[in-house]
Amino acid sequence: MTDEMFRQMKDQMRPREETREALRAALAADAVQPPAAHVAPPGPPRDADSAALAGRPANVSGPVRPGAPRRGRPGRPARRRSRVLAGVVALSLAGLAAAAVPLVGWLADRASNPAAERGARTSSSGTRGTASASSYDDVYAAVADVFERQQLERDSLAELSLGDLAAGAPEAGMMGASGGAAQPADGAAQAADGADAASSLGGYSETNVQVEGVDEGDLVKTDGDAIYVARGDTVKVVAPDGAATAVVATLDVGTRLETWAATSDTAPAWAETAQVKDMLVADGVLAVLVGPADLVYEIADGADGPAADATVFHAETATLLWDVDDPAAPKELAELNQSGWYVSSRLAQGILYLVTNHPVASEDSVDPDDPATFVPVVTRGEQARPIAAASIALATAPMAATYAVATAVDLESGQRRSEIAVLGCANTVYLGHKNLYVAGWSWGSSGVTATDLARVSLAGGQLSVAAQTILDGSLLNQFSLDEHQGHLRVVTSGWAATTLPETDEGGAVAAIGVMTRVRLAVLDSDLREVGAIDPLVTDESVQSVRFMGDVGYVVTFKQVDPLFAIDLADPARPKVLSELKIPGFSAYLHPWGEGLLAGLGEDGTWDGQLTGNLKLSMFDVAQPSDVSEIASSTLDVYWSAALYDHRAILVEPELGVIGFAGEGHGGNKYLLYRYGDAGFTQLAALDLPTASGTARDNALIGAYGETVRGVRIGEELYVCSTSGVAVYTMDAFELLVSVSF
């Protein structure tokens, strides 16, 4: 690849007018085709929240502002609407340019980029300035500054060659940091084991969550009286009653929003493509969180064709509250909207906390006299308003014009208690009992991945941004964060760009190499670092994290699985107590009674090869200085959503039971295992429910397809999916009934 070719690539990344016109024409004709492959930066966070964000466009979502033109509204130009998958935009217009610009942001210093002089991003040991805007003028100035710096960075790339890239790239490893197979039990033993457990079963299982007392949104929820199963744009309400289990009601969210779109000027533009994202239920109130299934564009027709600045990329999340005291007769209570793609939700002490990601559409779409064009909007019924300037936190030199939007909704009253926005994206959410933490990954000025982190005080639902900082490296998922006794413990992995070597003429472009460095930091309430282990390990990637009181457990992997036990009793002096090396790695860790830690992951060999099978492990952590693996089982399973989504796991240590859906040589099954004195034994491999009239598509399972959850209510197990509910006894795992949707 020559310097001229590189400059041509950069010119292509920059959105030109003819490119924009071509896209508008394609959208108008519904002719946009999906890309051949999704381009993602190295080392993205891995969790359910970020999986939902994968392929999502950068800076291509427009606000829904009060008085915005709607389809068919008198006195407004007609709009032509097109829908394409969000992934399409990742390789078009600002999405492509925004993905490339941060990757080479570390070249700004070498090229004396004025953007770097205007506002340098701080490192992990320094808390970045946090201030509420005093007016919308302050917010507009901050957003405009982001777009200006992004353009300056694009311009600087045009002057750089591959030689500059190779000479200026960090050296490999430099981070810029501061400061035996499970055997099915025989029939008699299996039934006996089940009978012992079932004889005293009561209550019901809840969603597997990170923090005790803090519920998390999911696509299957139960309050013990009913099971709520999301299925596209509907919610099936199931009355659990053993063999008499039946669907007693259906909430047709799609029809509900389509009617809203046809009759209301404030209905979201995506109402016709609504899809349930998650649900929460408590005290007789069901919260259904709804967002667009597809990315919706609207192009206004002017006198001379499509207006140059009228392309709007809509993204909002709606909260629909239902009274389900009588599950067979749900009553709608309230509807509340907020700008942005759905990220995650939590429920604590009757308050629903909802986090969305709201990118400003483009520089052309911003009107300094209309705050709703550059500020997130919240809506209740027909009343829509931009978030108050005083509730918007501004930081020094944010990487993108993207807001993390958080709202607090009282389920009992149906009222929104407060809302805040932080100029900085969120793809990882952690909620403790006193604070909400929102984090988004980006590229630091030194070419290393970074994490924008904000602490939001809950104060009984009166949200306020209390502190912000930038951390070196990126988070694996929400388990990388943990709040304990006034301190936040954080585990990050730094991904650094190495060189981009030239290839022979006609050859493919070589992939950008990355090296990792794992660090653990302890932060105070101001998000200032008070202690760290840096590095914890180099040239390895984090696979799982779990904090348990004064001890943290971190699994990394390169050839074998080191399980680190870390003493965090003194926040200023964290230290490694032990390091256990075993083949494979655990992708999820779960406390399992006194002195035990369960792991679910992938099996491997001592030379670093993964076998393709899942593995269950049990670790003795009674003495963190001497952790040992006391039981392990290689499973006849090669895929499960449970590897990436903890909500997909049914975990009941008091019963010794763990369950999840998995795909193996026997097909897709719901698998149940028991841990006891003999280690792990398989209790059952249960058939999944099938959809009414059609066979279930076995290729759709887990995070990227059909959602499957196991719910125990009393002495029955309800295997729920978007296809239906299959009911089994917990003693002999006899199928009682299968209800198709």
Side-chain angles (χ1 to χ4, degrees), residues 90-403:
L91 294 179
S92 65
L93 284 176
L96 180 57
V101 170
L103 176 60
V104 293
W106 53 271
L107 289 170
D109 293 334
R110 285 179 44 79
S112 298
N113 185 353
E117 299 173 4
R118 291 173 57 91
R121 290 166 62 80
T122 59
S123 62
S124 62
S125 61
T127 301
R128 148 176 103 179
T130 300
S132 296
S134 60
S135 68
Y136 286 127
D137 290 340
D138 291 344
V139 182
Y140 171 76
V143 172
D145 184 68
V146 172
F147 286 124
E148 181 180 353
R149 286 187 289 105
Q150 287 179 340
Q151 186 59 51
L152 288 170
E153 288 179 350
R154 292 188 187 99
D155 292 341
S156 71
L157 290 175
E159 307 303 323
L160 298 172
S161 67
L162 276 179
D164 294 326
L165 264 174
E171 296 179 6
M174 291 183 64
M175 297 286 82
S178 61
Q183 300 297 324
D186 62 71
Q190 175 176 315
D193 284 347
D196 290 342
S199 62
S200 57
L201 286 181
Y204 59 92
S205 63
E206 299 177 329
T207 301
N208 184 28
V209 299
Q210 179 181 8
V211 179
E212 186 176 357
V214 178
D215 198 8
E216 301 182 19
D218 199 7
L219 293 173
V220 176
K221 301 295 289 187
T222 186
D223 56 6
D225 296 323
I227 301 174
Y228 305 92
V229 183
R231 189 171 189 263
D233 62 356
T234 64
V235 176
K236 297 294 183 180
V237 183
V238 178
D241 189 17
T245 296
V247 176
V248 295
T250 298
L251 305 180
D252 194 338
V253 175
T255 299
R256 161 71 182 76
L257 291 180
E258 286 176 11
T259 302
W260 185 16
T263 59
S264 169
D265 288 337
T266 61
W270 50 264
E272 295 179 358
T273 67
Q275 184 180 73
V276 177
K277 299 299 183 181
D278 267 337
M279 300 179 293
L280 287 155
V281 61
D283 301 323
V285 178
L286 174 70
V288 182
L289 306 170
V290 184
D294 300 334
L295 187 61
V296 178
Y297 305 81
E298 286 191 356
I299 304 175
D301 285 332
D304 299 322
D309 61 350
T311 301
V312 180
F313 303 88
H314 289 284
E316 294 174 300
T317 299
T319 300
L320 305 180
L321 302 181
W322 300 79
D323 180 345
V324 289
D325 273 337
D326 180 359
K331 300 175 183 178
E332 187 173 353
L333 298 174
E335 58 188 46
L336 303 97
N337 276 33
Q338 67 189 62
S339 297
W341 296 96
Y342 176 78
V343 175
S344 192
S345 57
R346 301 289 191 274
L347 178 63
Q349 298 182 339
I351 305 296
L352 165 66
Y353 298 95
L354 173 62
V355 179
T356 57
N357 224 351
H358 172 66
V360 179
S362 67
E363 188 174 8
D364 292 338
S365 71
V366 172
D367 179 356
D369 297 322
D370 184 359
T373 64
F374 57 87
V375 170
V377 171
V378 292
T379 306
R380 180 181 173 86
E382 295 296 308
Q383 298 179 345
R385 58 177 174 80
I387 292 178
S391 297
I392 299 175
L394 304 178
T396 303
M399 287 291 292
T402 304
Y403 294 91

Side-chain angles (χ1 to χ4, degrees), residues 71-91:
R71 185 178 59 177
R73 185 173 181 178
R76 299 287 185 180
R79 289 183 179 269
R80 292 176 292 176
R81 180 174 301 164
S82 299
R83 304 186 193 99
V84 295
L85 295 178
V88 172
V89 187
L91 294 179

